[in-house]
Amino acid sequence: MRRLKSLFDNNRRWAEKIKQSHPEFFQELSKQQSPKYLWIGCSDSRVPANEIVGLLPGELFVHRNVANVVVHTDFNCLSVIEYAVDVLGVRDVIVCGHYGCGGVRAALANSQLGLIDNWLRHIRDIYKKHQAQLDAIKDDQMKLDRLCELNVIEQVNNVCNTTIVQKAWSRGQELSVHGWAYSIEDGLLKDLNVCITNADEALAIFEKRAE
Ligand code: CO
């Protein structure tokens, strides 16, 4: 705490500012949370989930990892999705990648970094799947950005294929899964036009893309 005193100072100012405009804010929030959205994003410090979409504490349930990957055996991510969908009843799951993602760049470079290589292997698999499209892009930055987008779309597919989301849809729960990409250069979100609202739509869209 001695070293990080400035953060505690920031914290007190932040809490005070919120209390000035909304005196009951923290007391009300301490009783329950009812966020409408689940955000699955990258751990990158330049992509702060709540700030980007202008939401307050209590409004966004968040899971972040390197390169916003949804792996079917990752019980951390799956537990977050399960709690968000089954208990909190969120209506929208947003997978948000970002351009210039270091994780995606490392996967593209195929360099050996250590433990993370095993995690990034999932993105290398996506590269393999779309190699013809990606290799046709000569500009390195554009190739990286396209792989960032394809990664988001694949992760949307993975979210849709979880038992959690499939079960929610089969019991008639209203739930949409979205794919977005954030630009750290201008602070703006791009909708990647994947918005899946039911199991049939997921099958139709991802089978079509796989052709
Ligand atoms: Co990233």
Side-chain angles (χ1 to χ4, degrees):
M1 183 176 164
R2 234 182 316 161
R3 255 172 44 79
L4 301 178
K5 186 178 174 301
S6 63
L7 299 189
F8 281 85
D9 294 343
N10 288 352
N11 169 251
R12 270 191 300 275
R13 275 195 297 271
W14 171 79
E16 204 47 54
K17 201 175 146 198
I18 289 181
K19 275 194 276 187
Q20 271 168 13
S21 61
H22 189 159
E24 309 299 318
F25 183 83
F26 291 109
Q27 272 171 334
E28 285 170 9
L29 208 54
S30 68
K31 291 176 197 138
Q32 59 153 10
Q33 64 165 336
S34 53
K36 293 194 187 80
Y37 322 95
L38 165 62
W39 174 280
I40 300 174
C42 183
S43 299
D44 193 304
S45 64
R46 298 164 296 179
V47 193
N50 280 65
E51 282 92 331
I52 287 173
V53 283
L55 293 177
L56 290 167
E59 295 183 318
L60 190 64
F61 204 63
V62 174
H63 177 79
R64 291 168 69 180
N65 62 41
V66 173
N68 41 271
V69 180
V70 177
V71 181
H72 292 300
T73 50
D74 176 4
F75 287 100
N76 182 353
C77 183
L78 292 178
S79 301
V80 172
I81 297 175
E82 184 181 70
Y83 191 75
V85 171
D86 291 357
V87 181
L88 297 172
V90 299
R91 291 281 186 90
D92 297 277
V93 179
I94 299 153
V95 178
C96 185
H98 67 102
Y99 296 109
C101 180
V104 177
R105 183 183 284 117
L108 199 53
N110 215 7
S111 46
Q112 293 202 330
L113 300 169
L115 184 65
I116 189 93
D117 296 337
N118 299 288
W119 184 250
L120 298 178
R121 184 71 240 173
H122 297 291
I123 298 172
R124 290 191 182 127
D125 291 342
I126 296 168
Y127 175 79
K128 281 274 172 209
K129 191 172 163 186
H130 300 278
Q131 190 163 7
Q133 181 197 144
L134 288 162
D135 285 354
I137 304 171
K138 295 302 165 206
D139 182 84
D140 285 347
Q141 190 61 43
M142 283 171 70
K143 186 189 281 196
L144 169 64
D145 286 349
R146 184 59 187 146
L147 184 53
C148 290
E149 292 182 346
L150 289 170
N151 179 42
V152 169
I153 293 163
E154 291 291 336
Q155 306 314 328
V156 168
N157 190 16
N158 288 345
V159 172
C160 292
N161 283 326
T162 58
T163 52
I164 305 149
V165 171
Q166 289 287 324
K167 273 188 199 163
W169 279 334
S170 69
R171 66 178 174 251
Q173 189 171 332
E174 213 174 295
L175 183 66
S176 304
V177 187
H178 312 259
W180 298 353
Y182 173 76
S183 169
I184 44 181
E185 287 181 9
D186 62 13
L188 295 176
L189 287 168
K190 180 180 172 186
D191 190 344
L192 298 180
N193 292 321
V194 275
C195 171
I196 317 293
T197 59
N198 60 57
D200 290 340
E201 223 171 69
L203 266 180
I205 285 185
F206 291 115
E207 276 183 13
K208 203 171 126 216
R209 280 178 191 272
E211 278 169 8

